[in-house]
Amino acid sequence: MSNAPTAAQRLAAALKRHEVHTIFGQSLPSAAILAAEDLGLRQFVYRTENAGAAMADAFARISGQVGIVCAQNGPAATLLVPGLAEALKSSVPIVALVQDVVRNTADRNAFQELDHFGLFQACAKWVRRINEPARVDDYVDMAFAAATSGRPGPAVLLLPADMLSEAATDDPKRTAALGRYPLDRVCADLDRIEEAAALLNKADRPLIVAGGGVHLSGAATELATLQEAAGIPVMTTVMGKGAVDERHPLSIGVTGNVMGKLAPARHLKAMIEESDAVLLVGTRTAQNGTDSWTLYPREARYIHIDIDGQEVGRNYEALRLVGDAKLTLQALTSRIRASRQRRAPIETVIDASRRRHDADIAGHLASSASPIRPERLMADLQTVLTEDTIVVGDASYATVWIAAYLRALKAGMRFLTPRGLAGLGWGVPMGLGAKTARPESPVVCIVGDGGFGHVWSELETARRMRANIVVIVLNNSVLGYQKDAEDVKFGRHTSAVRFTGVNHAQVATACGCRGAVIDRPDAFLPALREALSADATTVLDVITDPDAYPPITLFDDRLETVRIAARNAT
């Protein structure tokens, strides 16, 4: 018998070389997982593959390392698709290890055989199959390079079950570690940076828009330095939230389609629209972040920093600064002149806007009503946040409540939301992935009852894997965003938007976690503090007002008009 390692052992060694220490999996591919565990790699065992992909995504966002997720071929592989698609749109590096059928049974209708190339090509940057044990290191390195270079994203390696057990007689002696990102930091063209600096220096009303690419690049410090040195106001997309300290006198907060009534940035819309030079950093200029491409000023000159040249100028013709945000911001800041004369009036406008918003929202923040107003919950939550707290939101209203009514306490504070595709059910597993990446940080996960219903089973995962998070369920027995959007668009809604009541605290205790039902606003903050100090995952099932909705521009005036008409009709 050969003393050579198996392909599975070679694969595990390659993962360890790339500084992988956690794999999100559920046993399969078994040969690879066994070999990885033999080398000390931890398997974080999910209950469902779609949740596992979301865990790997959040792990990558927080750790700065590639997220690794594993799955069986066939139906299990199909459940990876939503998570990988989110990672692709959000530029998050994941390597998916997917078992494939034994090679000599391919195209013979083997058990759970599927065209995995066809399956993954639309949701991954790169898909390959390893057919020869001698090529394991080659393909693993290619997968990591694909995931972490350029615009990050998911890569998929297909692993035939029989190949993993065969001897890998080669010894490639590779030493490269490619598991962190950005893999290759490349600064934008210096001549164009000079041009950009000149444009910003002479602008009367410059503005910076920060997207999720700031976090992916680890460029929050550099952005904050530019904000302070140049005296330029910064607004963010939802994914860019936390890129700057939102208490800074030049921070506008989250803008885009979350600037409806009672939004913190609502009174700054005129200032945004009057900007004459706009620096876009790590943003796709997508629909929600631009309020359907209506918010940004038409006459402004644009400068766009992004690692993906195809995103630069996609929706706003711009001076192209294609490169890593961290390095490019450093180079740009060194060429910017501070303008105290320009800064003072801008700070005055932002301060006045904040005071006006405080007056607008005061009633909701102090509301003693039951069912509970979500604005009140956000105000109470803000009092216990620390700079190291990671706030995770599910898609739909949960994301918008966070974006609008929580404040980043430092540049680089993390707020994770699945905004690439905004699929329901990803909040809790993303919370578990974030906790795995940074176990010393408190993780608070805000979800609606609709999204939470997708992933109740992962509470058992949280308990078993000792990943303690606080889950706040906004329980209004309604698919709120869906109902309200239908009412605005059609004047009525379908029969699918309401649920019967569920006691999510009992679901939690049935899984061995802590749970409490909160039906009075004054009970929330004490329960939250207790949950943050508890040595267990806690679900706070908060009974919230089904008529409450966050400040989404689409709903301004229209939703209330529909509701009044419905009341009058009855």
Side-chain angles (χ1 to χ4, degrees):
M1 296 178 63
S2 171
N3 290 324
T6 64
Q9 290 170 327
R10 184 76 79 197
L11 173 67
L15 293 177
K16 189 170 184 177
R17 170 165 56 87
H18 293 306
E19 301 179 351
V20 172
H21 54 78
T22 300
I23 296 172
F24 296 91
Q26 197 186 70
S27 253
L28 293 156
S30 299
I33 297 293
L34 287 168
E37 291 182 335
D38 287 343
L39 291 181
L41 279 66
R42 180 194 187 202
Q43 182 182 196
F44 191 101
V45 184
Y46 55 70
R47 291 292 292 250
T48 61
E49 286 78 10
N50 48 4
M55 293 173 193
D57 176 309
F59 176 89
R61 295 192 202 199
I62 294 299
S63 67
Q65 296 176 275
V66 175
I68 308 296
V69 65
C70 296
Q72 166 72 315
N73 49 287
T78 67
L79 293 177
L80 293 180
V81 168
L84 296 184
E86 167 66 29
L88 182 68
K89 295 292 286 186
S90 297
S91 307
V92 179
I94 292 176
V95 170
L97 305 175
V98 179
Q99 183 162 296
D100 210 345
V101 298
V102 173
R103 286 167 293 180
N104 66 7
T105 67
D107 297 323
R108 300 183 68 184
N109 291 326
F111 180 61
Q112 296 188 333
E113 182 180 13
L114 186 68
D115 176 8
H116 293 114
F117 281 97
L119 177 70
F120 291 120
Q121 279 175 343
C123 62
K125 287 180 64 178
W126 183 93
V127 186
R128 297 291 190 278
R129 178 186 289 116
I130 305 179
N131 286 318
E132 297 294 333
R135 300 296 307 281
V136 165
D137 283 87
D138 294 346
Y139 278 103
V140 170
D141 285 15
M142 283 190 280
F144 275 79
T148 58
S149 62
R151 179 176 178 173
V156 179
L157 271 177
L158 306 176
L159 308 171
D162 58 321
M163 185 277 301
L164 288 170
S165 298
E166 291 182 357
T169 55
D170 67 310
D171 185 6
K173 298 188 184 301
R174 290 177 178 258
T175 60
L178 309 176
R180 296 182 180 271
Y181 69 97
L183 182 59
D184 307 304
R185 290 195 184 271
V186 180
C187 187
D189 183 279
L190 292 179
D191 288 340
R192 291 182 180 173
I193 291 174
E194 294 279 1
E195 186 179 349
L199 196 160
L200 292 172
N201 284 332
K202 72 178 181 180
D204 295 320
R205 300 175 300 280
L207 177 68
I208 298 173
V209 181
V214 173
H215 291 300
L216 293 167
S217 174
T221 298
E222 286 69 24
L223 178 62
T225 300
L226 175 60
Q227 177 188 40
E228 180 62 30
I232 301 177
V234 177
M235 66 186 198
T236 77
T237 66
V238 173
M239 288 188 67
K241 186 177 179 67
V244 291
D245 183 341
E246 290 179 306
R247 301 168 302 173
H248 191 283
L250 288 170
S251 290
I252 293 172
V254 178
T255 60
N257 72 334
V258 296
M259 293 177 68
K261 287 183 177 179
L262 302 183
R266 181 176 179 83
H267 301 303
L268 292 171
K269 185 175 181 181
M271 189 180 81
I272 295 168
E273 293 174 337
E274 292 168 2
S275 297
D276 58 353
V278 179
L279 172 62
L280 306 168
V281 187
T283 171
R284 297 176 294 145
T285 60
Q287 183 172 12
N288 288 346
T290 62
D291 199 10
S292 297
W293 308 284
T294 64
L295 176 63
Y296 295 1
R298 291 186 178 183
E299 303 303 320
R301 289 286 306 279
Y302 286 86
I303 305 160
H304 198 161
I305 300 173
D306 203 281
I307 194 66
D308 185 351
Q310 288 188 304
E311 292 297 343
V312 175
R314 178 195 285 267
N315 294 313
Y316 299 90
E317 186 173 289
L319 176 60
R320 299 174 60 84
L321 298 184
V322 179
D324 173 65
K326 186 182 184 77
L327 293 185
T328 304
L329 285 171
Q330 288 175 347
L332 181 61
T333 301
S334 68
R335 293 162 170 80
I336 291 289
R337 295 195 308 270
S339 176
R340 293 183 180 180
Q341 183 178 7
R342 179 177 64 194
R343 175 171 179 162
I346 295 172
E347 290 184 353
T348 299
V349 170
I350 293 175
D351 181 65
S353 171
R354 290 176 179 174
R355 292 176 185 275
R356 188 175 173 188
H357 170 258
D358 289 344
D360 292 343
I361 198 71
H364 285 325
L365 298 187
S367 172
S368 59
S370 296
I372 304 169
R373 292 290 307 193
E375 298 94 334
R376 165 71 187 267
L377 300 176
M378 297 302 107
D380 286 350
L381 174 57
Q382 183 73 56
T383 66
V384 300
L385 293 184
T386 70
E387 293 181 353
D388 293 326
T389 303
I390 300 170
V391 181
V392 182
D394 210 331
S396 197
Y397 276 174
T399 286
V400 188
W401 293 122
I402 291 169
Y405 298 124
L406 295 181
R407 292 289 171 271
L409 303 177
K410 69 172 182 178
M413 185 174 174
R414 297 310 302 271
F415 298 81
L416 299 189
T417 53
R419 298 303 288 177
L421 289 178
L424 277 179
W426 290 339
V428 168
M430 289 186 79
L432 295 177
K435 186 67 175 180
T436 306
R438 198 191 295 170
E440 71 280 5
S441 292
V443 174
V444 177
C445 186
I446 301 171
V447 301
D449 52 337
F452 188 50
H454 288 238
V455 288
W456 293 339
S457 61
E458 300 303 336
L459 291 177
E460 186 276 332
T461 301
R463 179 192 179 197
R464 174 170 33 85
M465 302 307 298
R466 301 182 183 277
N468 297 331
I469 63 175
V470 177
V471 180
I472 300 169
V473 182
L474 306 180
N475 185 357
N476 60 7
S477 298
V478 175
L479 279 175
Y481 209 148
Q482 187 65 31
K483 172 182 173 296
D484 293 343
E486 288 179 2
D487 283 347
V488 166
K489 294 176 181 178
F490 305 106
R492 59 196 180 109
H493 51 265
T494 75
S495 59
V497 298
R498 296 190 183 276
F499 305 120
T500 55
V502 175
N503 188 319
H504 300 99
Q506 290 184 354
V507 174
T509 56
C511 293
C513 300
R514 300 176 72 252
V517 175
I518 309 296
D519 57 8
R520 302 186 333 272
D522 61 350
F524 174 68
L525 187 55
L528 176 60
R529 287 180 172 141
E530 185 178 350
L532 287 166
S533 63
D535 187 23
T537 288
T538 301
V539 173
L540 299 180
D541 189 20
V542 186
I543 309 304
T544 55
D545 185 351
D547 288 332
Y549 59 93
I552 296 170
T553 55
L554 174 66
F555 297 166
D556 277 358
D557 299 322
R558 304 178 196 174
L559 183 54
E560 291 304 323
T561 299
V562 171
R563 288 181 173 181
I564 291 170
R567 286 194 294 268
N568 291 338
T570 58

